[in-house]
Amino acid sequence: MSTESSLSISFEFFPPRTEVGEEKLRLVRDRLAERSPHFFSVTFGAGGSTREKTFGTVQNVRESGVDTAPHLSCISSERSDLSDLLKRYQDVGIERLVALRGDMPSGSMGVGDFRYASDLIQFIREETGDHFKLSVAAYPECHPQSDTIEKDVSRFVDKVKAGADMAITQYFFNADAYFHFVDRVRAKGCDVPIIPGIMPITNYSKLARFSELCGAEIPRFARRQLEAYGDDTQSLQAFGQEFVTKLSQQLIDGGAPGIHFYTLNQAEPSLAILDGLSLPR
Ligand SMILES: Cc1cc2nc3c(=O)[nH]c(=O)nc-3n(C[C@H](O)[C@H](O)[C@H](O)COP(=O)(O)OP(=O)(O)OC[C@H]3O[C@@H](n4cnc5c(N)ncnc54)[C@H](O)[C@@H]3O)c2cc1C
């Protein structure tokens, strides 16, 4: 069944570590491809650590016929390496990228030739012109390293000025944060589509840990409810599905141009949310 909607529906994967994981991802991608998504995307490990795996996973998920966007982060990378990678993607017919800074390196790893995602976008445009449709990251609840929302919004707009075509947000659980962010961006005369990133809830302890790191706030009532389920995974997932479906519907009803699912390489949680939505045709 296709979604047959004018909205941009997309699904994100990470490169599996094992062959079993690759095999499982083939089944997941085929199930999700039945919904005719606008695109798939595949993450890129910090400092290029999954460079080859990302490349391989992109080839894997593209076999489904869905347009696929590799993520590319620039921190701790050299210009020549990124230039080679861009050329390889061009040679195999990739036309979209998600361009990121990546998380700052710890330990002895250097910062490399780029400091911010806007530098990477400028570089991609210099190297490859308009070949790639470029998405960038957006943070409705403010990037954790940003001092103020004002600065974060301005830096987001700088990425668009450098050549980004659209944005995908960090996940969040509060629709007002998204609408506030979009209003601030529009007030600066920037009108690129900003697609909300949606995280299905399947495992509370992992979600809590990751949300702490990336600055996504879990509302108190939802946190308390999720905590209360303890090992009762079924109830936790049922609550999570209802909660995230409601959030997604609010975003669509309020004018969000699509939904980008952080699938964590599983089809069911994202499909359960998608099936619960009434989408404009
Ligand atoms: C949709 C999405 C996909 C992601 N995929 C990946 C992935 O595949 N791999 C991965 O490693 N990470 C990924 N991330 C995480 C991302 O790399 C981190 O959030 C990272 O910390 C910031 O990346 P960015 O591209 O937003 O950086 P930037 O846009 O460069 O912003 C980083 C910080 O620097 C500030 N800043 C920007 N420009 C300037 C300037 N000129 N002067 C001073 N400060 C400035 C910003 O306000 C912000 O606080 C993803 C995030 C999202 C939302």
Side-chain angles (χ1 to χ4, degrees), residues 44 71 100-103 116-117 139 143 146 152 155 159 262:
F44 189 78
H71 294 204
L100 305 141
R101 183 194 71 179
D103 286 320
Y116 300 111
Y139 301 88
H143 185 265
S146 230
D152 209 38
R155 281 153 190 170
K159 294 196 274 195
Y262 292 104

Side-chain angles (χ1 to χ4, degrees), residues 12 42-46 71-73 98-104 115-118 136-139 143-146 151-152 155 158-159 168-171 260 262:
E12 179 172 312
V42 180
T43 62
F44 189 78
H71 294 204
L72 187 58
S73 69
V98 181
L100 305 141
R101 183 194 71 179
D103 286 320
M104 292 305 275
R115 261 210 110 70
Y116 300 111
S118 51
V136 287
Y139 301 88
H143 185 265
Q145 285 154 9
S146 230
K151 279 191 194 161
D152 209 38
R155 281 153 190 170
D158 288 344
K159 294 196 274 195
I168 304 169
T169 76
Q170 182 56 277
Y171 73 84
H260 179 80
Y262 292 104

Side-chain angles (χ1 to χ4, degrees), residues 4-25:
E4 289 176 14
S5 171
S6 53
L7 292 180
S8 170
I9 302 297
S10 51
F11 299 102
E12 179 172 312
F13 307 115
F14 61 84
R17 287 201 195 90
T18 62
E19 276 187 25
V20 175
E22 284 281 348
E23 202 46 53
K24 190 182 146 233
L25 185 56

